[in-house]
């Protein structure tokens, strides 16, 4: 898992603490670049399930943005939960092309 992916999961876990218990079991299954974003698909190293029925199927995000030098407007992100498991993170630009390569980044609160 990349530093950015882990930082996003931890950021979401601060707002939705139930996610924290999943992080040690997540492995990246694949990364799909879309030109204006990327999907990071996860699998589990061990069987794991969210015990809170509010998170059986959900899309979770925060009011934060990912700043990167090569993107004028940065990246937004959302975590997909399907059948009680972390399924994928979707990263998306705000209309800019992006090659999916991450160098330096900073997660900041949206105003």
């Amino acid at each position: 898992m990349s530093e950015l992916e882990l930082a996003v999961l931890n950021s979401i876990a601060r707002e939705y603490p139930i996610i924290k218990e999943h992080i040690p079991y997540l492995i990246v299954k694949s990364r799909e670049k879309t030109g204006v974003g990327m999907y990071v698909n996860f699998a589990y190293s061990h069987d794991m399930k969210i015990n809170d029925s509010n998170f059986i199927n959900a899309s979770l995000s925060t009011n934060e943005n990912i700043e990167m030098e090569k993107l004028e407007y940065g990246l937004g992100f959302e975590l997909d939960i399907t059948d009680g498991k972390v399924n994928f993170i979707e990263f998306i630009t705000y209309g800019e092309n992006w090659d999916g390569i991450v160098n330096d980044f900073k997660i900041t609160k949206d105003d």
Side-chain angles (χ1 to χ4, degrees):
M1 188 177 315
S2 76
E3 186 180 336
L4 174 62
E5 294 155 1
L6 184 58
V8 165
L9 287 168
N10 282 319
S11 177
I12 292 172
R14 280 191 293 280
E15 196 161 323
Y16 305 95
I18 193 77
I19 299 302
K20 190 82 170 164
E21 64 191 59
H22 290 250
I23 294 172
Y25 302 101
L26 293 174
I27 55 174
V28 174
K29 184 169 60 173
S30 65
R31 292 180 181 91
E32 302 170 42
K33 297 173 186 175
T34 66
V36 293
M38 180 169 51
Y39 290 94
V40 178
N41 300 296
F42 293 102
Y44 282 75
S45 61
H46 294 84
D47 194 28
M48 181 71 188
K49 177 169 152 173
I50 294 178
N51 296 319
D52 185 335
S53 62
N54 292 322
F55 293 104
I56 296 300
N57 293 298
S59 293
L60 307 177
S61 192
T62 64
N63 63 343
E64 296 171 311
N65 191 50
I66 300 165
E67 293 180 2
M68 288 195 299
E69 189 172 307
K70 61 181 160 181
L71 292 173
E72 184 176 351
Y73 304 109
L75 290 171
F77 58 88
E78 184 174 89
L79 182 67
D80 179 80
I81 307 295
T82 300
D83 297 329
K85 294 186 177 183
V86 173
N87 191 26
F88 63 83
I89 298 172
E90 179 181 12
F91 293 101
I92 187 143
T93 67
Y94 301 101
E96 298 177 76
N97 289 328
W98 178 48
D99 58 10
I101 296 172
V102 176
N103 293 318
D104 290 333
F105 69 90
K106 180 169 68 168
I107 298 177
T108 61
K109 288 272 189 201
D110 283 345
D111 294 327

